[in-house]
Amino acid sequence: MQKVELTKAEEQIMQVLWKLEKGFVKDIIPHLPDPKPAYSTVSTIIRILVDKGVVSYKAYGKTHEYYPLVSKEIYSRQRIKDLMLAFFDGSPRQLLSFLAKKEDVSLQDFEEIVKTIKKGTDDE
């Protein structure tokens, strides 16, 4: 996947589309935080997401049903990689160390992370 940078508003709409899997603008608005943006604002942001290649649509006359082209997992992976590069010299170890010190991650949480990592490497 080509690197895509999204604004906070674009990410909020993507979160809704990932949850709904597909939807019309009128379906997306109720899931956005208050104060709700105007219909035209949401429509404009979705058109930008279409232009960026992360959302597509199926047309029904003048209405469009939108759906994500990029999975939440792939986008999340990209964002975490960017975060590691920007703040932790690209080091997962530094990121995890930071989380352990600053975010009150329990030993049980780390054990689950290790299990997940081991499972992921066993699958390859």
Side-chain angles (χ1 to χ4, degrees):
M1 178 189 124
Q2 176 180 318
K3 185 176 177 177
V4 177
E5 293 196 21
L6 303 179
T7 66
K8 183 178 178 179
E10 291 166 349
E11 281 187 358
Q12 286 178 331
I13 289 174
M14 288 302 296
Q15 291 289 348
V16 174
L17 282 173
W18 285 320
K19 181 179 171 184
L20 298 176
E21 296 181 2
K22 61 183 176 178
F24 299 93
V25 173
K26 68 177 180 61
D27 300 323
I28 295 167
I29 294 172
H31 296 275
L32 295 172
D34 290 327
K36 304 287 186 213
Y39 183 98
S40 60
T41 302
V42 175
S43 181
T44 297
I45 294 169
I46 291 175
R47 282 196 304 275
I48 292 167
L49 290 167
V50 169
D51 291 343
K52 288 184 175 186
V54 295
V55 169
S56 190
Y57 61 88
K58 184 172 181 181
Y60 298 95
K62 291 185 178 184
T63 38
H64 297 85
E65 184 177 40
Y66 297 96
Y67 57 91
L69 291 175
V70 176
S71 73
K72 184 175 184 177
E73 180 182 348
I74 289 172
Y75 182 73
S76 298
R77 190 177 304 141
Q78 176 191 311
R79 293 284 288 146
I80 290 170
K81 185 176 181 180
D82 291 346
L83 178 78
M84 278 193 310
L85 288 170
F87 296 101
F88 303 100
D89 298 324
S91 168
R93 178 178 288 159
Q94 285 184 28
L95 172 62
L96 288 173
S97 176
F98 174 82
L99 292 173
K101 292 175 187 173
K102 303 295 181 192
E103 298 300 322
D104 197 28
V105 177
S106 71
L107 183 57
Q108 183 179 353
D109 290 335
F110 271 112
E111 288 172 353
E112 289 297 320
I113 291 168
V114 170
K115 285 180 190 175
T116 302
I117 291 169
K118 284 182 179 178
K119 183 181 174 191
T121 57
D122 290 345
D123 293 342
E124 292 177 4

